[in-house]
Amino acid sequence: MFETKGGVLFIAGLGFFALAFLSNAVVPVLMYKDLPEQPVEELVNSRIMYQFEDLARRYPEQFKKYVGDPTEENCAKLMRLGRQIYIGEGCWHCHSQFIRPVSNESKRWGPVADSSEYQNALQRPVMFGTRRVGPDLSREGGRHANDWHAVHFFNPPVVSPDSPMPAYPWFFDGSPDKPNLRGLAIITYVQWLGSWLKEYPYYEQWEDINRED
Amino acid sequence: MSQTVATTRGEELVELKLVKLHFLAAIIYLGLAMLGGLLMAFQLVSWNGLNGIELLAPGRWRMVHTNGVAYGFLANAFLGALYWVVPRLTLHRVYSRALSWFIFWAWQAIVILTVLGIVVGPSLQAADWVQELAKRWNLPMSLGAQGLEWGETPFWIDPVALLGLFLVAVNFMAPVLKNKGPLYVTLWYFLAAFVWTFLTYAMGNLLSEYYLTGTSSGAVTGLFIHDLVGLFVTPLGWGLMYYFVPIILKKPIWSHGLSLVGFWGLAFFYPLTGIHHFLYTPIPMFLQYGAVISTIAVEFVVTTVIINFLATVWGEGRRVYTNLPIRWFYTGMLFYFLTCLQCALQVTLTFQKLIHFTDWVVGHAHLVMFGVFSLWLFGVMTYLFPVLLGRPWYSRRLAEWHFWLSAAGVFVMAGDLILAGVFQGYWWASLQPWDVSITGSHPFWVLRIFAGLAMFGGFLCFVWNLYKTWCEPAPAQATAPAAA
Ligand code: HEM
């Protein structure tokens, strides 16, 4: 049996693979089956809308040209595009998106990651990440203002000396005050990260935009 | 059937041109992938003069690096070796000659499209027509890389790649299945690998891309990353060792019993380890413990395999020095043992706290992918090219340089990165500003560049040696290839 075609094919090839699949994949899938996947539209919250409207005010011409009005629908659209760029540009090979309960990570970044945070369309497949050249981003929203991000993406060392993060001038129409569609989208996506938490941003004062109006 | 008949038939059974072409393709992609790695390495120390050029974005080229290595280099080199080994072991041709050629071209198309997709895809992501298409087909995926580590192959190539893997399985399983009676060790590994590779690719690329979200997709991605190493690369690699080592040493493997333990231990435990890539994630803790325990079990299994091979060469230790292919193989095994030792440590939750997310893991990845499997494949190529071309290597010295630069390069790179990882882990845990971990890593990253340049230099020696060997006028009448 151990040296025959049948043994190798059916026991090792199919059987053991299936066993691992059952125990390592089907079990978690069943455990989370009652947590439905949230569509992107439901992920738009008042915090991310605050940032989105801020983008519209800060870069009125660019925003008008590429996005139109700062509606919730457009916000969802940009979050989706932002995540596609995040994947396509390989940001996730330098940044993780989960806080571990060890190594003082919750002191540095905020609350430890929880399964329910990841049960949405922007985490299919999940962006946990396996390498941190740069910091974790799962609580990044609201940590920096939109124009900080714009300058940072245009040329990271300007705001963060010695930064090895690559420059992304193609997110802009020539200068950091002119983000194009990709620039607006990636900033929206980054500002969304962590916006669902109670403490947002974790360590800075945040004011609801509606209070002023 | 007498032994001599079998060897002459072996020559007829093998499609030599395919072996050569697959090896050539492998070498070209390896060069490209190494350049991608170098680009990222220069970026990390901020010496990248090409920073800001969209089509040379280091983030994209890092994915070309890993995928080029997996699907361009390793897959092509394995295919070439399989075309040599499988017909000789089974005494049957592969399923179909036409199919083999189709697979060759289809696979090159897949790799080239993958590279193009990863490099150019993100540039088109915001274009109107892409948005239009995405809306019409309700596509959440990006045109470029997909968010699956080591499976970044754009989603629109996945079906073709799956078809390719299926055809590969058919092509090679046909001769194996025609074989009567018990199989040789090599064929256990190969047979299982054909099934596993297809299933793994399908699982990772389809399930986590289309059906699973969040934590459960994390579990499946972990399974995918690890199965790709453990169920595609590892069994093919060991299968080749069980074939080439006894042939070159002209003596059988020391213990058949240990071969059995090695194969079945790997088959059982390896697939169970996937989640160890995501320890301390929200994935349920009992699953994480299970992965840790199976990983440690794998180390014991690996040790039995290594003992078996060491016992095989026992008494002929000199040949590890004098015979180049054997030297490549046994150096690879030494690195394999080191990798697995490292793995048994790093998989424990104690180590994970410190070294997860750091360069430690990158050191580990290079030790196993370059230090083990690439070294083995270089050994196979070093052994086969003279046979394929019907003449000895142009220069033994260049071949030596290739060996020493590669082996020393990867040893330095891995040691350097593993050490860097420990430092990074402590800087992070002690809540130093992030910059400290960047500037502190700088010297390590500089040394990594030099190690990488050494590896690349070794590679260039190999290419030059091959070029000269290939183009040398064929020695008169010496058509019968002399086995090394
Ligand atoms: C010229 C030599 C090479 C250089 C300079 C190089 C450099 C790099 C760099 C900079 C990274 C990214 C690390 C990070 O994110 O911090 C990387 C990742 C990687 N490289 Fe290489 N590399 C080289 C050769 C190779 C070869 C030949 C292989 C395989 C056969 C390989 C396999 C990998 C793998 C698997 C990863 C992913 C590691 C992970 O995500 O943990 N590299 N390499």
Side-chain angles (χ1 to χ4, degrees):
Chain A
M1 172 178 88
F2 292 121
E3 300 175 40
T4 59
K5 285 168 275 192
V8 170
L9 262 185
F10 293 108
I11 303 179
L14 294 175
F16 288 171
F17 187 91
L19 179 72
F21 183 70
L22 275 178
S23 57
N24 282 254
V26 175
V27 169
V29 171
L30 289 180
M31 288 178 66
Y32 296 112
K33 72 176 191 315
D34 296 329
L35 276 178
E37 176 182 306
Q38 267 182 301
V40 183
E41 283 66 23
E42 284 178 23
L43 300 174
V44 178
N45 53 40
S46 66
R47 273 101 172 244
I48 183 59
M49 280 311 288
Y50 165 84
Q51 300 289 0
F52 198 55
E53 286 162 18
D54 179 81
L55 274 173
R57 266 184 288 149
R58 241 180 246 272
Y59 310 107
E61 281 152 37
Q62 299 296 103
F63 199 91
K64 195 94 224 141
K65 179 167 159 202
Y66 289 111
V67 186
D69 297 318
T71 60
E72 296 202 355
E73 200 192 337
N74 281 335
C75 184
K77 195 178 129 197
L78 259 67
M79 276 154 62
R80 205 179 277 125
L81 179 62
R83 174 187 142 93
Q84 288 164 356
I85 292 167
Y86 186 84
I87 295 177
E89 297 287 357
C91 313
W92 53 298
H93 288 301
C94 280
H95 292 283
S96 61
Q97 285 191 22
F98 75 96
I99 312 292
R100 302 183 302 161
V102 291
S103 282
N104 287 327
E105 295 193 358
S106 51
K107 290 213 182 87
R108 190 188 284 275
W109 285 301
V112 170
D114 182 82
S115 273
S116 57
E117 295 180 49
Y118 296 90
Q119 215 61 27
N120 59 61
L122 290 184
Q123 293 289 1
R124 172 160 55 85
V126 75
M127 281 292 106
F128 281 156
T130 52
R131 174 84 177 95
R132 280 181 191 152
V133 176
D136 188 275
L137 292 184
S138 61
R139 279 89 181 90
E140 177 63 23
R143 287 205 161 201
H144 296 287
N146 288 325
D147 54 348
W148 186 94
H149 281 298
V151 174
H152 185 247
F153 285 126
F154 190 77
N155 192 9
V158 172
V159 284
S160 183
D162 293 331
S163 173
M165 176 161 149
Y168 294 93
W170 52 91
F171 292 168
F172 301 86
D173 293 335
S175 70
D177 55 353
K178 292 209 187 81
N180 60 20
L181 182 55
R182 280 190 271 170
L184 293 167
I186 192 80
I187 296 177
T188 310
Y189 176 71
V190 166
Q191 294 287 22
W192 167 72
L193 292 168
S195 63
W196 53 83
L197 293 172
K198 270 212 205 82
E199 345 33 13
Y200 168 94
Y202 181 61
Y203 57 78
E204 277 175 29
Q205 269 294 296
W206 170 76
E207 277 180 33
D208 194 328
I209 189 173
N210 298 323
R211 282 227 319 251
E212 310 168 5
D213 301 2
Chain B
M1 195 183 300
S2 81
Q3 201 52 42
T4 44
V5 178
T7 28
T8 36
R9 272 197 62 198
E11 243 79 77
E12 290 164 17
L13 291 168
V14 175
E15 180 88 21
L16 293 183
K17 212 163 160 198
L18 266 175
V19 182
K20 282 189 249 179
L21 280 182
H22 269 297
F23 282 171
L24 266 193
I27 292 169
I28 294 171
Y29 295 127
L30 178 62
L32 188 76
M34 280 178 143
L35 288 176
L38 279 170
L39 185 75
M40 188 51 147
F42 278 108
Q43 176 64 41
L44 286 180
V45 292
S46 309
W47 292 350
N48 175 13
L50 304 168
N51 193 8
I53 301 178
E54 178 162 8
L55 293 183
L56 293 175
R60 299 180 197 175
W61 278 86
R62 185 201 195 275
M63 298 188 273
V64 172
H65 177 62
T66 48
N67 286 272
V69 154
Y71 304 105
F73 171 59
L74 293 176
N76 265 311
F78 277 134
L79 280 172
L82 285 173
Y83 279 116
W84 178 267
V85 173
V86 171
R88 286 171 163 259
L89 269 179
T90 58
L91 297 181
H92 292 288
R93 288 173 182 280
V94 291
Y95 179 68
S96 145
R97 191 162 170 257
L99 182 62
S100 310
W101 280 101
F102 177 75
I103 292 175
F104 175 78
W105 290 112
W107 198 258
Q108 308 323 316
I110 289 168
V111 178
I112 292 169
L113 284 177
T114 302
V115 172
L116 279 180
I118 290 177
V119 173
V120 182
S123 304
L124 305 174
Q125 193 60 47
D128 289 336
W129 62 273
V130 177
Q131 305 237 340
E132 202 44 52
L133 270 183
K135 204 170 192 176
R136 169 130 23 104
W137 298 97
N138 194 18
L139 291 178
M141 297 82 159
S142 108
L143 207 58
Q146 64 186 16
L148 175 69
E149 190 166 8
W150 253 37
E152 284 95 344
T153 318
F155 76 93
W156 43 276
I157 305 180
D158 284 342
V160 193
L162 268 175
L163 180 72
L165 289 175
F166 178 73
L167 294 179
V168 169
V170 170
N171 207 16
F172 288 109
M173 274 163 77
V176 179
L177 294 183
K178 272 191 214 150
N179 219 33
K180 300 264 177 327
L183 301 173
Y184 179 61
V185 192
T186 299
L187 293 177
W188 313 338
Y189 279 100
F190 286 175
L191 200 55
F194 297 135
V195 181
W196 286 333
T197 309
F198 178 82
L199 289 177
T200 302
Y201 196 92
M203 170 186 75
N205 285 278
L206 303 182
L207 280 186
S208 43
E209 203 62 28
Y210 299 96
Y211 301 109
L212 299 179
T213 312
T215 312
S216 29
S217 96
V220 174
T221 357
L223 208 54
F224 170 81
I225 306 177
H226 212 79
D227 283 0
L228 205 66
V229 181
L231 301 184
F232 157 55
V233 183
T234 308
L236 289 179
W238 278 113
L240 291 180
M241 287 307 100
Y242 276 106
Y243 177 78
F244 282 108
V245 168
I247 285 224
I248 299 178
L249 291 179
K250 298 203 169 62
K251 64 197 273 204
I253 284 289
W254 182 60
S255 156
H256 190 69
L258 279 186
S259 315
L260 275 167
V261 173
F263 173 77
W264 285 96
L266 176 122
F268 183 75
F269 286 114
Y270 222 123
L272 294 171
T273 62
I275 290 177
H276 72 200
H277 287 263
F278 292 118
L279 298 179
Y280 289 120
T281 49
I283 294 174
M285 216 51 209
F286 68 93
L287 291 175
Q288 302 188 24
Y289 289 133
V292 172
I293 291 166
S294 336
T295 308
I296 294 174
V298 171
E299 314 325 332
F300 287 112
V301 175
V302 162
T303 314
T304 68
V305 178
I306 304 264
I307 290 176
N308 203 1
F309 273 87
L310 284 183
T312 304
V313 81
W314 202 256
E316 304 209 33
R318 257 184 68 74
R319 303 197 62 186
V320 174
Y321 183 71
T322 55
N323 185 308
L324 263 182
I326 288 289
R327 193 196 305 161
W328 281 110
F329 296 157
Y330 275 84
T331 315
M333 285 180 216
L334 173 72
F335 284 139
Y336 196 74
F337 184 71
L338 290 179
T339 318
C340 293
L341 195 69
Q342 184 197 6
C343 190
L345 297 174
Q346 75 192 10
V347 78
T348 58
L349 290 168
T350 326
F351 268 69
Q352 275 293 311
K353 276 183 208 162
L354 192 68
I355 55 90
H356 189 50
F357 291 129
T358 69
D359 265 325
W360 170 294
V361 183
V362 182
H364 177 70
H366 286 95
L367 195 59
V368 65
M369 280 303 131
F370 190 87
V372 183
F373 298 107
S374 306
L375 255 52
W376 285 354
L377 287 166
F378 287 146
V380 170
M381 289 185 193
T382 305
Y383 174 69
L384 281 186
F385 267 123
V387 189
L388 292 170
L389 299 175
R391 64 193 81 135
W393 280 104
Y394 162 74
S395 156
R396 166 89 187 200
R397 268 184 73 189
L398 280 175
E400 291 279 349
W401 275 106
H402 179 208
F403 174 82
W404 288 107
L405 284 176
S406 304
V410 71
F411 187 73
V412 171
M413 180 187 279
D416 171 63
L417 291 176
I418 289 168
L419 194 61
V422 176
F423 278 88
Q424 290 160 356
Y426 278 116
W427 282 317
W428 296 346
S430 57
L431 295 178
Q432 304 267 7
W434 199 263
D435 295 2
V436 172
S437 78
I438 302 282
T439 40
S441 305
H442 205 274
F444 293 104
W445 285 341
V446 171
L447 184 58
R448 184 252 295 272
I449 291 187
F450 284 105
L453 286 174
M455 285 151 68
F456 193 65
F459 169 76
L460 291 181
C461 292
F462 179 57
V463 171
W464 178 243
N465 204 3
L466 182 61
Y467 173 77
K468 291 300 265 186
T469 312
W470 205 302
C471 295
E472 217 172 63
Q477 250 116 64
T479 36

